[in-house]
Amino acid sequence: MPHSCSTQFKLAAEQFPTDSYAAYAYADNFDLSLLPEDSGIPTTVYQYNAPQIKIESAWEIQEQPVSASYAPANPCSSASSSASSGHQLIPPPAYPHSAYPSPQSSPQQSEFASFKYDCLSSPCPSLDASSIKQELHILPPSPPESNCETPSPRSDTSSSSSSIKAEPLDAELESYIDLNTLQQQLLDIKPNHQALRECLEDTTFQRKHNLKPLALESFIGGLAEVRGDFEPVISLALEHAKREADAICAKLQISQDPNAWTAAQVHAWLRSTLAQFKLPPVDNLELQFSEDGAALALLSEEEFQRRLPESGSTLHAQLEIWKMAYADQLGNEMEATAPAANDMLWGYQAPNVEQDESEDDEDMESAVPLATATAPGTPNSAPAKRSGGARNGGSSHIHLWQFLKELLAAPQVNGTAIRWIDRSKGIFKIEDSVRVAKLWGRRKNRPAMNYDKLSRSIRQYYKKGIMKKTERSQRLVYQFCQPYHQ
DNA sequence: AACGAGGAATCGT
DNA sequence: ACGATTCCTCGTT
């Protein structure tokens, strides 16, 4: 085995940035169920062929109380066995980043993905207590109330490459990614996001670990440009944002489309968002913001900041997220009806089996099972629809059909594993039976799950009237029965 | 070989 | 009790 190289993410996060992109990372309650289920992300140790990467935690700050209810009673054995040591070791299998045979998996991608998750996740139900604790340190539960201008103890941020230090460690090579420095760079982000831009544009990290170049513009430029490396991550963030927005929309009786808001609804949303992020309430909100939703959506971040120095950035960022979430939803709907058109719209390239680029790895794949049982139109919640009954945390006894709908709801992430054939009829196809089964097994904490068993469960649905075979029987093609679809 | 169908026992909640 | 899991045999693609 070649010598390994460990990448150590350090972060002492006492500050909390308030810039737009930080809002992605620090949104109060990003649903960590979106994230890999069997690994405490910041503490995961990845190993694969050169260079081998170890990501481990080095947080040393005080403990924060954390709800243990989110920690599964029995996480995957490999995870729990080493949880106490603050990191877990994933031995390098044939397919380094995936417990699941994925011949085209890309360790580089997944490594970077894990890094991205670190940046995008926020304190939420995670898998083991240690990782929760650590994530709380990365991303404080309270939204941006601390001073974003607080200088970081580290001042050497002139070059982002300085945040990546390689140091030999015995036979191993250990490189540190100092998140202190990285965070400082985030804190330094100016309205034009120069620091983030520089940070992301710096390719040292990529080159060092032989990563694919990063399409920076795709990240900054908005959803329509989002693709490639960021696609799954953005998708996850948007999935969360959409669910969150959903609940808020129901509460405030407003549209999911900010452009459709009246001025009064704008005020309601602003107040709600201020409260959500624990920002100081604004007395003369109506005077400050006379715009309706469409006009509000056109305001620049500077304008937000000018009107509300304390909270303008956060509000603007949150609005951006809402806009993206709504746009993404439209995109998904279009994809259901006219995939080709949607691909053109989003520049989204349908996953090609013959290509090796977008093959999922451990990170991507574990990130796939999305959300809670909030899949749209669950018959169980038929009358109340999605009124937000039992939300997060109830995913442990999710039904298989619900889980499948969850996967189907995120085609950008799961398109290679399962996809709609005819959404209006509830017909879908399992493209990668192994993968879907593994995901299901992971969700249910059944490591021995396979497609044979999963399909047996699906067949049980036949006589229950939950699913049926299509008229013209096709392999791996199933159909939801009416009440369970739509 | 992979998938489909369904019986039967068992498990977990 | 119920849904899911596990194991099984046999048939089909």
Side-chain angles (χ1 to χ4, degrees):
Chain A
M1 193 168 71
H3 61 260
S4 66
C5 157
S6 68
T7 301
Q8 189 168 31
F9 289 93
K10 292 183 179 176
L11 177 63
E14 281 106 10
Q15 297 96 24
F16 209 94
T18 58
D19 75 273
S20 335
Y21 298 103
Y24 290 95
Y26 302 92
D28 191 23
N29 44 6
F30 189 96
D31 187 352
L32 277 196
S33 69
L34 301 177
L35 297 175
E37 291 197 10
D38 67 347
S39 59
I41 294 162
T43 67
T44 303
V45 176
Y46 296 112
Q47 287 193 339
Y48 52 81
N49 298 337
Q52 298 210 336
I53 298 297
K54 183 169 76 179
I55 303 170
E56 65 181 26
S57 60
W59 348 94
E60 66 285 272
I61 330 177
Q62 75 286 354
E63 286 230 9
Q64 294 201 20
V66 67
S67 165
S69 63
Y70 287 127
N74 178 26
C76 293
S77 52
S78 63
S80 58
S81 60
S82 55
S84 58
S85 66
H87 66 270
Q88 52 177 288
L89 186 64
I90 300 173
Y95 305 111
H97 261 54
S98 176
Y100 316 134
S102 183
Q104 295 153 333
S105 72
S106 160
Q108 290 84 2
Q109 270 187 294
S110 65
E111 172 204 332
F112 192 62
S114 71
F115 174 72
K116 289 183 293 184
Y117 285 130
D118 281 348
C119 297
L120 280 164
S121 60
S122 73
C124 251
S126 184
L127 284 208
D128 61 62
S130 65
S131 68
I132 294 174
K133 180 179 66 183
Q134 288 144 10
E135 290 195 53
L136 284 171
H137 290 147
I138 310 171
L139 309 161
S142 327
E145 38 196 349
S146 47
N147 188 356
C148 66
E149 283 148 13
T150 307
S152 158
R154 306 185 69 94
S155 56
D156 180 20
T157 60
S158 53
S159 156
S160 14
S161 63
S162 68
S163 66
I164 304 174
K165 297 180 293 188
E167 295 178 11
L169 181 65
D170 297 338
E172 297 193 345
L173 180 66
E174 184 157 314
S175 55
Y176 297 87
I177 293 182
D178 190 331
L179 289 192
N180 251 340
T181 309
L182 217 142
Q183 190 196 31
Q184 175 59 40
Q185 293 175 336
L186 288 172
L187 293 176
D188 286 339
I189 289 173
K190 299 294 186 291
N192 65 354
H193 316 296
Q194 187 58 34
L196 175 61
R197 193 171 280 269
E198 286 171 8
C199 174
L200 293 177
E201 274 175 348
D202 183 271
T203 56
T204 309
F205 176 80
Q206 301 163 27
R207 284 197 305 271
K208 186 175 187 63
H209 300 300
N210 197 21
L211 301 178
K212 288 172 63 177
L214 177 64
L216 174 64
E217 289 308 317
S218 70
F219 188 62
I220 293 185
L223 181 69
E225 296 292 322
V226 170
R227 69 192 72 170
D229 290 356
F230 275 117
E231 183 101 28
V233 182
I234 295 300
S235 173
L236 295 178
L238 287 177
E239 277 303 316
H240 169 75
K242 274 184 278 189
R243 286 196 310 281
E244 193 179 57
D246 224 354
I248 295 172
C249 287
K251 198 173 83 181
L252 301 179
Q253 298 282 304
I254 60 177
S255 164
Q256 289 179 329
D257 179 10
N259 284 295
W261 297 343
T262 65
Q265 289 172 328
V266 164
H267 301 144
W269 180 84
L270 289 170
R271 291 193 198 288
S272 164
T273 306
L274 287 170
Q276 180 191 356
F277 285 81
K278 298 183 176 62
L279 293 164
V282 179
D283 293 328
N284 55 345
L285 200 62
E286 286 78 7
L287 294 176
Q288 293 265 31
F289 291 91
S290 56
E291 291 86 354
D292 63 8
L296 186 79
L298 294 175
L299 294 183
S300 67
E301 182 184 1
E302 288 81 355
E303 180 60 22
F304 268 84
Q305 229 163 356
R306 190 188 64 75
R307 299 186 192 186
L308 301 173
E310 271 190 285
S311 50
S313 290
T314 303
L315 290 171
H316 178 266
Q318 197 62 11
L319 183 60
E320 289 299 308
I321 291 174
W322 276 61
K323 283 153 65 179
M324 288 173 66
Y326 180 71
D328 187 50
Q329 181 172 312
L330 282 184
N332 285 343
E333 286 166 9
M334 286 188 63
E335 182 181 61
T337 53
N342 185 56
D343 289 352
M344 305 242 322
L345 176 66
W346 300 112
Y348 173 71
Q349 207 138 29
N352 187 338
V353 185
E354 287 154 17
Q355 287 178 339
D356 64 344
E357 31 93 27
S358 74
E359 231 349 278
D360 333 66
D361 51 55
E362 180 75 24
D363 296 313
M364 288 298 107
E365 134 184 279
S366 46
V368 167
L370 292 168
T372 55
T374 52
T378 62
N380 288 351
S381 57
K385 209 69 197 275
R386 58 185 75 176
S387 57
R391 288 192 71 84
N392 297 357
S395 60
S396 56
H397 60 280
I398 185 177
H399 292 285
L400 174 57
W401 62 267
Q402 288 176 314
F403 178 77
L404 294 173
K405 289 190 77 166
E406 276 189 15
L407 296 185
L408 287 161
Q412 299 95 330
V413 184
N414 309 307
T416 54
I418 184 171
R419 66 180 177 88
W420 289 113
I421 295 287
D422 186 337
R423 192 173 186 175
S424 62
K425 293 179 181 170
I427 301 173
F428 65 94
K429 178 170 186 179
I430 294 174
E431 301 281 3
D432 186 340
S433 60
V434 174
R435 188 165 149 75
V436 171
K438 290 287 185 183
L439 289 170
W440 175 234
R442 177 172 297 192
R443 178 63 155 264
K444 292 292 294 293
N445 199 21
R446 290 277 169 181
M449 179 54 60
N450 55 29
Y451 180 71
D452 188 42
K453 298 170 188 172
L454 182 148
S455 64
R456 183 71 193 92
S457 291
I458 290 181
R459 272 178 255 125
Q460 305 275 30
Y461 285 157
Y462 292 163
K463 60 181 175 191
K464 292 176 185 168
I466 297 174
M467 281 192 203
K468 58 187 174 186
K469 284 300 283 185
T470 50
E471 306 90 270
R472 197 169 63 82
S473 188
Q474 274 178 283
R475 280 191 146 204
L476 297 166
V477 175
Y478 298 92
Q479 183 171 10
F480 286 103
C481 295
Q482 201 41 243
Y484 291 85
H485 172 246
Q486 261 332 315

